[in-house]
Amino acid sequence: MAKELSRLARNGELSYQIKNIAQANNIHIITLDGAINTVDSNSNMFGIYAWLYETESQNTSRRIKSAIKIKSSKGYFTSSIPPYGYYLEKGKLYKRNDNTPEIVQRIFKEYLSGKGFDAIAKKLYEEGIPTPSQIAGKANASDKWHGSTVRAILENPHYVGDLVQGRSETVSVTSKKRKYKSENEFIILKNTHEPIISREEFLAVQQLIKSRRRIRPQQQTHLFTNILFCADCGHGMHYKKNRKGYICGSYNKHGSKACNEHLIKEDELKTIILNDIKNLISKLDNEKFIKTIEAKVKTNIDKLEKQIKNYKKEIENLKAQKRKALNKFINEEINKEDYDMFISETNKKINNLTTVLEKNQTIINDISKNFSLKDLDNLKNMIINIKELTPDILNRFIERIEIKADGTPKIFYRFSGASVYFSALSINTQHST
Ligand SMILES: [Zn+2]
């Protein structure tokens, strides 16, 4: 029992779902406004009412929106969270009595003095300045300042004392999506509250933001990007050109309060990793090494040979079908046209199968040739003699490297011994497992 259908569902789709659940479970729905009463079985009206109510709640939403418009034009702040540095009382903004207005001023000054969004944020975090979400009392508010937060403050027009409303609105009652309106649709009321920033300073900052907005150079990917992590906080490491190496990503973003530097020079790391790989291989018992690879090679060849066997069987099948068709044609069970078409299609299939079969045979020959015992020894020597750590070698062998606080790496190899060496070996045949 509901007061009216709109209490059950705000849109038609949901109304129908409720209706179906009710029907399937022998539940009656009665609305007190008399619109729906499934006991009297007028549930066929359900759809119409659902649609009506949806339209009605759209109208209500529009009425609320226009009420907001009127409210803003009277100088009331309509959003529930005031800008950092202000508090909200009865729809009006007032300067807070703590140091947050000064923090806002400081952010503007520092930006004008040439500091970037991230640098300003880092310093605020280091000093333990409460963040906007902390001041707003949000649940799980982070104590970290982000460059984007600083930027939002620098671009907030309320700091000059103007009320700017209607910067975004919801699209419809059934969607939470907000749409941003263009600047000339904003409602601006001048001097509705005490300014924190002068108009001149605000304007200067806006121009500076525009002029500093440059196209970021395509983030250069470095050899160890995506593979290198901080051993303490787990954050990915960032490459720093001026340090010729990597540092902890959270240290880079938020400074020493968040984590330590964990610096590792790229050249150093390359040497360490390459030596470690070589060490691992040289320590391998020769006989064991060869045996594991032989086993891998054998499994691979077996698989390929099994495929070849199946292809051969299929080809034999097709040939038998051709013979059958010929008999039918001779006995005049099928006409020449059908016979020709069947033969040409079957020949095509046989040709395709033969090609694949031959390819498999080549791969088997290649592997057998490449994996002769002598060559395996050579290959091992080749790996040991590698001079440069290439991305290919790195990614083949290593899954993850963690850098400890003292800058020493902890290496996680990608595979168990045998598969690593096999996958390195299969570079030549392009037939990896
Ligand atoms: Zn870290």
Side-chain angles (χ1 to χ4, degrees):
M1 197 176 288
K3 186 166 164 266
E4 51 191 25
L5 188 58
S6 62
R7 297 298 167 111
L8 276 179
R10 287 188 78 193
N11 62 53
E13 200 188 330
L14 191 59
S15 308
Y16 278 113
Q17 279 171 15
I18 291 171
K19 182 193 160 196
N20 290 338
I21 291 167
Q23 273 176 347
N25 295 287
N26 261 333
I27 297 166
H28 282 292
I29 298 173
I30 299 167
T31 59
L32 296 179
D33 62 357
I36 307 289
N37 183 343
T38 57
V39 179
D40 294 345
S41 75
N42 64 348
S43 62
N44 50 339
M45 297 292 280
F46 212 97
I48 290 178
Y49 281 106
W51 174 77
L52 268 174
Y53 281 121
E54 187 170 355
T55 315
E56 175 56 19
S57 54
Q58 296 266 20
N59 287 337
T60 313
S61 156
R62 207 169 301 131
R63 277 202 291 274
I64 293 169
K65 273 181 204 161
S66 58
I68 288 175
K69 248 184 196 167
I70 293 164
K71 220 171 158 192
S72 353
S73 68
K74 282 182 179 160
Y76 292 121
F77 188 81
T78 48
S79 155
S80 56
I81 298 166
Y84 191 78
Y86 287 111
Y87 68 94
L88 195 58
E89 207 180 272
K90 288 177 187 156
K92 293 266 184 188
L93 291 176
Y94 299 95
K95 244 164 115 173
R96 288 173 67 96
N97 289 320
D98 52 18
N99 68 341
T100 53
E102 281 160 45
I103 298 300
V104 174
Q105 285 163 352
R106 168 182 156 179
I107 290 171
F108 275 80
K109 284 223 164 56
E110 286 188 353
Y111 190 77
L112 281 176
S113 76
K115 271 190 162 186
F117 306 132
D118 288 336
I120 297 172
K122 198 163 150 182
K123 199 84 194 309
L124 292 169
Y125 170 61
E126 270 168 18
E127 289 178 28
I129 308 288
T131 60
S133 49
Q134 283 178 319
I135 294 284
K138 281 189 185 164
N140 319 317
S142 167
D143 65 338
K144 288 192 179 74
W145 280 83
H146 291 274
S148 55
T149 322
V150 168
R151 179 172 186 167
I153 287 177
L154 288 168
E155 289 181 331
N156 192 328
H158 288 107
Y159 289 121
V160 298
D162 292 351
L163 193 70
V164 182
Q165 301 283 263
R167 286 202 280 177
S168 70
E169 66 175 17
T170 50
V171 178
S172 82
V173 284
T174 49
S175 157
K176 283 213 168 87
K177 229 167 124 183
R178 295 189 76 80
K179 116 185 141 194
Y180 284 88
K181 301 170 96 179
S182 63
E183 232 168 279
N184 52 23
E185 279 183 276
F186 294 175
I187 302 161
I188 301 174
L189 277 169
K190 295 209 163 196
N191 305 316
T192 54
H193 53 268
E194 197 183 342
I196 291 177
I197 301 296
S198 74
R199 288 183 191 278
E200 296 70 40
E201 197 175 356
F202 185 80
L203 210 69
V205 165
Q206 305 317 304
Q207 282 165 355
L208 199 58
I209 291 174
K210 258 183 207 147
S211 69
R212 277 203 212 161
R213 194 184 295 156
R214 62 200 145 93
I215 303 144
R216 275 170 193 262
Q218 198 68 40
Q219 181 104 50
Q220 221 183 323
T221 44
H222 283 269
L223 185 58
F224 294 101
T225 313
N226 301 328
I227 214 172
L228 207 54
F229 296 89
C230 170
D232 286 334
C233 72
H235 203 289
M237 308 273 288
H238 290 176
Y239 182 77
K240 297 295 269 187
K241 206 174 170 187
N242 55 351
R243 310 295 300 270
K244 291 195 174 99
Y246 301 81
I247 61 171
C248 164
S250 38
Y251 170 84
N252 186 32
K253 261 172 134 176
H254 303 296
S256 58
K257 198 175 147 193
C259 198
N260 290 323
E261 193 175 35
H262 294 76
L263 171 73
I264 179 94
K265 301 264 180 208
E266 185 164 54
D267 279 347
E268 244 171 72
L269 188 60
K270 267 186 188 171
T271 315
I272 294 172
I273 300 298
L274 194 57
N275 284 340
D276 203 82
I277 293 173
K278 287 179 181 181
N279 234 329
L280 205 73
I281 289 167
S282 69
K283 269 190 193 144
L284 267 179
D285 175 47
N286 233 13
E287 220 173 303
K288 238 192 204 162
F289 178 71
I290 287 164
K291 270 195 179 135
T292 25
I293 291 172
E294 272 182 329
K296 283 272 177 190
V297 171
K298 197 179 172 312
T299 339
N300 243 3
I301 291 181
D302 285 352
K303 215 162 85 190
L304 290 167
E305 278 178 341
K306 208 172 150 195
Q307 280 175 4
I308 289 179
K309 229 170 154 183
N310 286 338
Y311 293 148
K312 279 184 175 163
K313 223 191 246 164
E314 238 173 286
I315 291 173
E316 281 318 308
N317 259 336
L318 291 168
K319 281 182 178 166
Q321 278 175 23
K322 268 168 74 177
R323 281 194 297 272
K324 261 188 212 161
L326 181 63
N327 277 333
K328 279 186 180 173
F329 175 57
I330 292 168
N331 297 332
E332 293 182 339
E333 284 168 44
I334 51 171
N335 62 29
K336 173 131 187 17
E337 207 177 310
D338 286 348
Y339 173 74
D340 283 347
M341 207 162 82
F342 178 78
I343 293 297
S344 101
E345 266 171 26
T346 311
N347 281 344
K348 241 188 245 163
K349 281 183 199 162
I350 291 175
N351 277 341
N352 286 344
L353 281 169
T354 314
T355 317
V356 188
L357 190 149
E358 279 167 359
K359 215 167 160 189
N360 265 12
Q361 195 59 58
T362 325
I363 294 172
I364 290 177
N365 293 343
D366 267 6
I367 293 177
S368 313
K369 208 168 64 200
N370 280 350
F371 290 76
S372 72
L373 294 187
K374 209 180 111 218
D375 284 342
L376 283 179
D377 243 4
N378 287 343
L379 199 104
K380 195 174 147 185
N381 283 331
M382 192 195 88
I383 292 171
I384 289 168
N385 287 321
I386 289 172
K387 295 268 186 310
E388 177 85 3
L389 183 64
T390 61
D392 182 58
I393 293 169
L394 180 71
N395 293 320
R396 247 167 228 283
F397 285 83
I398 288 164
E399 177 155 346
R400 181 185 172 93
I401 304 165
E402 289 181 1
I403 303 297
K404 292 189 243 175
D406 61 0
T408 53
K410 203 171 149 193
I411 306 164
F412 296 80
Y413 282 90
R414 192 176 280 284
F415 303 108
S416 65
S419 33
V420 171
Y421 309 119
F422 183 66
S423 91
L425 281 165
S426 44
I427 301 170
N428 294 329
T429 62
Q430 295 192 330
H431 184 83
S432 61
T433 46

